[in-house]
Amino acid sequence: MLLLVGQERALGTVWLLRPGAEMAVGRKGAPLLIDGDHSVSRNHATLYVGAHGLDAISVKDNGSKFGVHINAHPCVSGTKCPLRVGDKITFGAQGSSFELRACRIAFCMSNMRLSLGVSAEQLAVRASEVGIDVVDTVEKCTHLITPSLAVTSKLVAALVFGCYISLPEYLEQIGSLPCVQTVPDPTSDSVDAFLNSLGFLPPASLPEVSTDTPVDLSAVDWMPNSKRRQLFVGKMCLFSTKDQNEKYKPMIGASGGSSTVISCIREAMETDTYDVEHSRELQLICQF
């Protein structure tokens, strides 16, 4: 998702740039309003955002008196001037400046089937319309989108990799946000935190019999926590099958542990090739 984050006189103002949008910048009546700066014309400039966000974004000076500057260089009036992430764009002559930033939001869908009356494929199309990527693995995402908190491999991976866990309604909220937002002290972290804070935490999917799971889902802290990266340090998880090991190996490794199949340990012990140092790790038997 592309953002123009205010600096100097415009500090605290954040403009959300939608893919495919054509947005007017001006002092009066413009969607992207710069109020109180009399060096900014009523119809000062126009921003153009490509259909895929980063593929083509530009600004055009609409013949304003004090112009548009990109990194202190004047933009030729009437010409679309290309922009890149990190560029500083100044409208007028009184410090109404903005920095172009990219805030990466990537969804991974889990147990979607039908939610909000649409399929996961339709939700992916909607996500692309507001500048959100959809990926197929939790390792690559920032948000796991799921209708309920059920203990699945994707949910556990989301906790380990520090992903946000949100309902599909998060997409609707992002899509309905006004293009002009106010974020005090808009550092990169605070802007990312603002967008991430809009998520809806799904309800816990509790078993019919409470003793069916040893985990009280309603008591879990579902927000990202860097301490989970150390969860399996010094531990080896043993799985009964190769498929189970391959499924959980990335998340166990990401949290400092190791994993293997029980049969491999048995074979190594029988052939005297078992790693003694490895054997000192706390071994966890994982059964499904």
Side-chain angles (χ1 to χ4, degrees):
M1 177 174 288
L2 288 171
L3 315 165
L4 278 173
V5 179
Q7 299 180 337
E8 301 176 30
R9 193 181 183 282
L11 188 67
T13 299
V14 176
W15 293 344
L16 308 182
L17 306 180
R18 309 291 191 195
E22 182 177 320
M23 310 172 79
V25 179
R27 183 162 46 90
K28 285 189 178 181
L32 302 181
L33 187 66
I34 301 178
D35 194 20
D37 185 342
H38 294 286
S39 70
V40 173
S41 304
R42 294 191 178 191
N43 181 23
H44 194 98
T46 303
L47 283 165
Y48 301 89
V49 187
H52 300 288
L54 288 174
D55 62 353
I57 177 168
S58 60
V59 62
K60 183 181 72 173
D61 180 356
N62 294 333
S64 64
K65 182 176 181 180
F66 292 99
V68 176
H69 291 74
I70 302 172
N71 301 324
H73 298 289
C75 179
V76 178
S77 179
T79 301
K80 289 184 179 180
C81 300
L83 298 173
R84 296 181 179 179
V85 171
D87 282 349
K88 179 180 178 181
I89 304 97
T90 302
F91 302 94
Q94 295 182 6
S96 294
S97 299
F98 294 79
E99 180 186 347
L100 181 62
R101 295 185 191 171
C103 175
R104 182 178 178 269
I105 300 180
F107 285 176
C108 180
M109 309 291 186
S110 176
N111 294 330
M112 291 303 299
R113 296 186 180 90
L114 285 178
S115 183
L116 299 177
V118 297
S119 66
E121 291 75 17
Q122 290 170 315
L123 282 174
V125 173
R126 288 188 183 181
S128 66
E129 291 173 352
V130 294
I132 295 174
D133 296 328
V134 176
V135 296
D136 56 357
T137 61
V138 178
E139 295 94 317
K140 300 176 183 178
C141 80
T142 59
H143 291 72
L144 179 69
I145 304 300
T146 179
S148 64
L149 293 171
V151 181
T152 63
S153 59
K154 281 189 175 181
L155 185 74
V156 175
L159 293 174
V160 169
F161 287 105
C163 304
Y164 290 88
I165 303 169
S166 299
L167 281 168
E169 284 84 352
Y170 176 64
L171 175 58
E172 301 299 314
Q173 189 176 11
I174 285 284
S176 62
L177 277 177
C179 59
V180 180
Q181 298 291 319
T182 300
V183 180
D185 187 25
T187 62
S188 296
D189 288 342
S190 66
V191 173
D192 289 355
F194 162 72
L195 292 173
N196 291 325
S197 69
L198 301 173
F200 296 83
L201 187 65
S205 179
L206 302 176
E208 294 182 5
V209 180
S210 60
T211 55
D212 284 353
T213 174
V215 180
D216 181 2
L217 297 181
S218 62
V220 175
D221 178 9
W222 299 99
M223 295 299 289
N225 187 336
S226 60
K227 292 181 179 180
R228 294 191 180 109
R229 288 284 187 170
Q230 306 298 315
L231 185 62
F232 291 113
V233 170
K235 301 178 180 66
M236 175 186 286
C237 297
L238 306 180
F239 293 92
S240 58
T241 69
K242 182 178 179 181
D243 288 344
Q244 289 176 358
N245 181 48
E246 292 301 317
K247 184 176 184 179
Y248 291 97
K249 188 174 183 177
M251 70 182 77
I252 293 171
S255 54
S258 60
S259 68
T260 189
V261 182
I262 292 177
S263 60
C264 294
I265 296 291
R266 187 182 302 115
E267 291 173 4
M269 294 178 69
E270 291 175 352
T271 58
D272 294 327
T273 59
Y274 189 49
D275 188 339
V276 176
E277 291 298 322
H278 235 173
S279 68
R280 293 176 183 171
E281 294 182 316
L282 176 61
Q283 296 179 352
L284 306 175
I285 307 298
C286 302
Q287 185 174 2
F288 297 88

